[in-house]
């Protein structure tokens, strides 16, 4: 091995993320335009403010501020006494006013941590800051490629969607950790009710990565000058958890190979090409000075710490997971499944309030989630059917139908046909007939068929089949033939011994 190769191998992977998430609000951050444009035509949700027309003035949406404050609380970040907005100047058609309203030196949230778990190893990822800004419009390059397109279309529906940019410390040591972080972050945002992961482009990631000289343990701090002097690349255009892991894995290999051959990593911005699975050089990294930040004079300074004290947040996923284990005695896997979303956890707790938690866990985690998943449905599709679902469990619990029928017939048809459990049980004659009903039918059959009884006692073997058939008819087929046979033989007079 060459000395260069040995040196390259003795490096530590360092990754920091800048995550942009869209906050779920009814209207945009600085105007009254609706954010609900998934099915709308381009540029239909716009006004002078989000189009950046001269003279139009922004008015801050307080729901966006509250969303940001919820996140700050959830990650245990600190909220300053005062915060304000700044103009980040750049010239690009996605923002026609030529600056983005963002935050620079007074972010709404400073510090904080997010705890992640990768293969049973727990790590604390520090958050440096999280700030509010407006989303730019979106560009559509003809044919999909920015380099080959003959023209580009601009859609300003997205311009002005509230964005939160969350900047982590360079605390990640593997690409897999970034994936776990994004999943955890999304889960927190979803619990807070400020994020919709199903929305296209609701999460976008820029990933910074360097291979710093020297080998550091996972929780061993890397000196600031080592971090600052490392040659790093910033990978843009990542839009999924998996994309982050793949792009960074590619980048680790690319940088390592370069260094092993004695080359240098160029500080630059690279673009993740998802379809080809590679990162490509885009441009030299812009420096902060390029943006000529200065305070946004059209918006007031916010006394935001005061406001933060009025904002409430729900129990968060990790705490809820732990509580499910202690309070309901669930194992880690079940607790994790049942807290995968706030709606699932609420659904489970509603069921567990009525039934044995183990039974509730089996029905929600295994049966319901399994069948929903199979149908590409989610818990949100059955939220208003909680009591139908509970009635189904009740019917099983009361022994009215078999577990097998409940799971394999009733639940599936409830989901496929939208019918309630009783209707399905009735239509399919799935109701279990209890012993009393069968016994009554057996007694009545014996009383009504003296000839057959005589034949039986005389030793005629067909007589018993006839009587079983009569009982089955009386119980409309719901009795178990074996049980009927036994009950009949027990109640019929002894056969003649001939
Ligand atoms: P910039 O001035 O380039 O924006 P910042 O210090 O603001 O740099 O950091 C931006 C992101 O880069 C953060 O997520 C941070 O964790 C990450 N970062 C900083 N140093 C490194 C490094 N040596 N390797 C990888 N990522 C880093
Ligand atoms: Zn608008
Ligand atoms: Mg920065």
């Amino acid at each position: 091995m060459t000395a260069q190769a040995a040196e390259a191998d003795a490096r530590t992977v360092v990754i920091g993320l800048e995550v942009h998430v869209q906050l779920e609000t009814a209207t945009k951050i600085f105007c009254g335009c609706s954010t609900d444009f998934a099915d709308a035509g381009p540029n239909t949700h716009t006004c002078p403010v989000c189009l950046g027309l001269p003279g139009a003035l922004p008015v801050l949406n307080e729901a966006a501020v509250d969303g940001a404050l919820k996140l700050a609380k959830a990650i245990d970040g600190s909220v300053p006494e005062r915060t304000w907005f700044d103009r980040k100047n750049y010239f690009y058609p996605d923002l026609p006013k030529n600056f983005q309203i963002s935050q620079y030196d007074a972010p709404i949230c400073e510090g904080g941590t997010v705890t992640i778990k990768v293969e049973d190893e727990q790590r604390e990822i520090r958050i440096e800051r999280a700030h509010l800004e407006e989303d730019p419009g979106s560009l559509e390059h003809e044919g999909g490629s920015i380099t080959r397109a003959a023209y580009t279309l601009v859609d300003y529906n997205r311009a002005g969607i509230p964005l939160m940019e969350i900047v982590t410390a360079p605390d990640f040591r593997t690409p897999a950790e970034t994936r776990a972080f994004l999943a955890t972050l999304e889960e927190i945002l979803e619990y807070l009710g400020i994020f919709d992961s199903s929305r296209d482009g609701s999460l976008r990631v820029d990933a910074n990565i360097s291979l710093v000289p020297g080998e550091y343990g996972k929780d061993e701090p890397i000196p600031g000058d080592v971090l600052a002097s490392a040659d790093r690349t910033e990978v843009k255009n990542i839009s999924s958890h998996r994309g982050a892991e793949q792009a960074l894995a590619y980048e680790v290999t690319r940088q390592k190979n370069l260094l092993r051959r004695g080359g240098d990593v160029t500080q630059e911005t690279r673009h993740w090409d998802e379809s080809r699975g590679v990162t490509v050089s885009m441009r030299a990294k812009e420096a902060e000075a390029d943006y000529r930040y200065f305070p946004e004079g059209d918006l007031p300074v916010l006394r935001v710490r005061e406001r933060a004290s009025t904002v409430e947040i729900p129990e968060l996923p990790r705490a809820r997971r732990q509580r499910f284990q202690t309070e309901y005695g669930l194992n880690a896997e079940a607790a994790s499944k049942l807290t995968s979303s706030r709606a699932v956890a609420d659904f489970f707790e509603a069921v567990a309030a009525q039934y044995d938690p183990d039974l509730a866990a089996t029905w929600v985690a295994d049966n319901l989630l399994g069948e929903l998943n199979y149908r590409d449905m989610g818990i949100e599709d059955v939220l208003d059917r909680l009591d139908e679902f509970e009635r189904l469990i009740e019917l099983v619990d009361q022994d009215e139908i078999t577990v097998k029928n409940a799971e394999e017939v009733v639940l599936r048809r409830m989901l496929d046909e939208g019918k309630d459990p009783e209707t399905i049980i009735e239509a399919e004659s799935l109701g279990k007939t209890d012993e009393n009903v069968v016994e009554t039918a057996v007694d009545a059959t014996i009383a009504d068929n003296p000839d057959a009884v005589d034949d039986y006692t005389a030793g005629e073997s067909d007589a018993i089949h006839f009587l079983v058939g009569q009982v089955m008819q009386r119980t409309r087929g719901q009795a178990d033939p074996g049980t009927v046979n036994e009950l009949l033989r027990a109640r019929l007079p002894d056969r003649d011994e001939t």
Side-chain angles (χ1 to χ4, degrees):
M1 200 191 298
T2 63
Q4 288 154 348
E7 201 277 334
D9 288 346
R11 284 183 178 235
T12 301
V13 173
V14 174
I15 300 165
L17 298 183
E18 294 162 289
V19 187
H20 293 86
V21 293
Q22 290 182 336
L23 296 181
E24 187 72 357
T25 53
T27 54
K28 294 185 181 180
I29 186 168
F30 299 124
C31 63
C33 290
S34 160
T35 56
D36 185 13
F37 53 77
D39 303 314
N43 296 304
T44 52
H45 286 48
T46 55
C47 72
V49 174
C50 55
L51 288 175
L53 299 188
L57 292 173
V59 176
L60 180 60
N61 178 354
E62 64 181 21
V65 176
D66 286 348
L69 292 174
K70 283 182 190 168
L71 178 67
K73 276 199 166 174
I75 63 175
D76 217 5
S78 76
V79 173
E81 168 68 26
R82 291 148 171 267
T83 189
W84 56 86
F85 290 92
D86 295 280
R87 292 186 178 185
K88 179 180 185 178
N89 297 279
Y90 68 89
F91 180 76
Y92 202 58
D94 60 1
L95 266 178
K97 61 186 186 293
N98 293 344
F99 61 86
Q100 178 189 31
I101 303 181
S102 181
Q103 296 195 286
Y104 181 52
D105 46 5
I108 192 163
C109 168
E110 279 179 278
T113 49
V114 172
T115 304
I116 60 165
K117 222 170 160 186
V118 180
E119 284 162 12
D120 283 335
E121 188 184 10
Q122 191 162 302
R123 298 209 60 224
E124 305 273 316
I125 303 300
R126 290 168 300 161
I127 303 299
E128 280 176 359
R129 55 181 274 157
H131 70 250
L132 267 176
E133 59 191 26
E134 60 182 331
D135 208 348
S138 46
L139 302 182
E140 197 184 300
H141 306 294
E142 174 257 343
S145 159
I146 188 170
T147 47
R148 280 179 306 243
Y151 60 87
T152 295
L153 300 170
V154 197
D155 180 3
Y156 293 112
N157 282 350
R158 196 182 73 179
I161 296 292
L163 269 194
M164 188 110 206
E165 175 172 343
I166 301 152
V167 183
T168 78
D171 284 348
F172 301 100
R173 297 287 174 270
T174 65
E177 287 174 356
T178 65
R179 182 174 184 167
F181 172 84
L182 294 171
T184 304
L185 178 67
E186 233 185 67
E187 200 176 73
I188 293 171
L189 293 163
E190 191 260 341
Y191 264 65
L192 295 173
I194 57 174
F195 181 69
D196 178 4
S197 63
S198 67
R199 191 168 176 155
D200 227 21
S202 56
L203 175 121
R204 279 121 58 194
V205 182
D206 298 342
N208 298 271
I209 173 166
S210 64
L211 268 54
V212 303
E215 289 174 292
Y216 296 88
K218 283 214 161 160
D219 291 310
E220 191 181 346
I222 301 175
D225 56 327
V226 173
L227 290 173
S229 60
D231 291 323
R232 66 180 209 236
T233 60
E234 180 175 9
V235 186
K236 291 193 179 273
N237 190 45
I238 299 169
S239 58
S240 69
H241 310 172
R242 195 165 144 264
E245 185 176 21
Q246 290 175 330
L248 287 164
Y250 179 88
E251 216 28 40
V252 169
T253 309
R254 189 189 69 86
Q255 292 190 16
K256 185 163 270 178
N257 287 343
L258 252 174
L259 294 165
R260 288 188 68 133
R261 290 196 303 266
D264 286 322
V265 173
T266 316
Q267 298 242 34
E268 63 183 353
T269 301
R270 298 179 70 84
H271 174 92
W272 168 237
D273 185 332
E274 174 119 41
S275 57
R276 290 195 295 148
V278 299
T279 66
V280 287
S281 178
M282 233 164 95
R283 55 181 140 91
K285 189 174 163 33
E286 55 289 270
E288 226 140 58
D290 296 339
Y291 291 122
R292 300 163 3 261
Y293 281 97
F294 61 87
E296 167 57 88
D298 289 338
L299 287 163
V301 169
L302 303 179
R303 288 183 174 284
V304 82
R305 188 176 295 159
E306 219 172 275
R307 177 82 178 192
S309 61
T310 66
V311 164
E312 288 183 16
I313 61 168
E315 185 181 29
L316 294 171
R318 211 160 63 90
R320 205 160 186 187
R321 206 155 288 159
Q322 271 151 12
R323 181 168 63 78
F324 276 20
Q325 294 187 50
T326 49
E327 188 174 330
Y328 300 112
L330 302 180
N331 62 34
E333 194 196 340
S336 167
K337 253 191 190 175
L338 290 168
T339 50
S340 57
S341 81
R342 195 170 146 193
V344 167
D346 288 346
F347 199 95
F348 164 75
E349 291 214 270
V351 179
Q354 312 253 14
Y355 303 98
D356 169 56
D358 278 332
L359 185 68
T362 305
W363 270 93
V364 179
D366 298 341
N367 301 342
L368 181 61
L369 292 183
E371 295 293 338
L372 285 173
N373 191 35
Y374 179 75
R375 286 166 178 73
D376 236 349
M377 294 167 76
I379 194 80
E380 60 284 352
D381 296 312
V382 293
L383 284 185
D384 56 347
R385 300 177 72 191
L386 175 63
D387 65 293
E388 282 179 25
F389 187 73
E390 283 179 343
R391 280 183 347 244
L392 174 61
I393 300 177
E394 180 74 32
L395 290 166
V396 179
D397 207 35
Q398 298 295 313
D399 234 10
E400 305 270 335
I401 56 170
T402 62
V403 175
K404 192 173 152 67
N405 277 338
E407 287 176 5
E408 293 176 11
V409 183
V410 185
L411 178 59
R412 290 178 185 174
R413 294 192 51 175
M414 280 170 71
L415 298 178
D416 289 335
E417 297 163 17
K419 293 187 183 134
D420 64 49
E422 292 82 2
T423 307
I424 296 162
I425 290 167
E426 173 83 36
E428 296 287 306
S429 304
L430 294 175
K432 255 208 251 173
T433 312
D434 66 35
E435 292 271 298
N436 286 337
V437 175
V438 182
E439 279 171 23
T440 312
V442 165
D443 290 341
T445 302
I446 291 172
D448 288 354
N449 296 282
D451 291 350
V453 173
D454 285 345
D455 288 349
Y456 171 80
T457 49
E460 232 177 84
S461 55
D462 278 348
I464 190 82
H465 300 310
F466 171 77
L467 291 167
V468 170
Q470 290 298 302
V471 176
M472 295 305 286
Q473 232 170 51
R474 271 178 204 268
T475 57
R476 284 178 299 137
Q478 284 154 292
D480 171 55
T483 312
V484 172
N485 207 306
E486 267 168 44
L487 284 171
L488 274 169
R489 285 180 196 276
R491 279 173 158 69
L492 284 164
D494 286 339
R495 308 172 90 170
D496 291 341
E497 304 291 338
T498 42

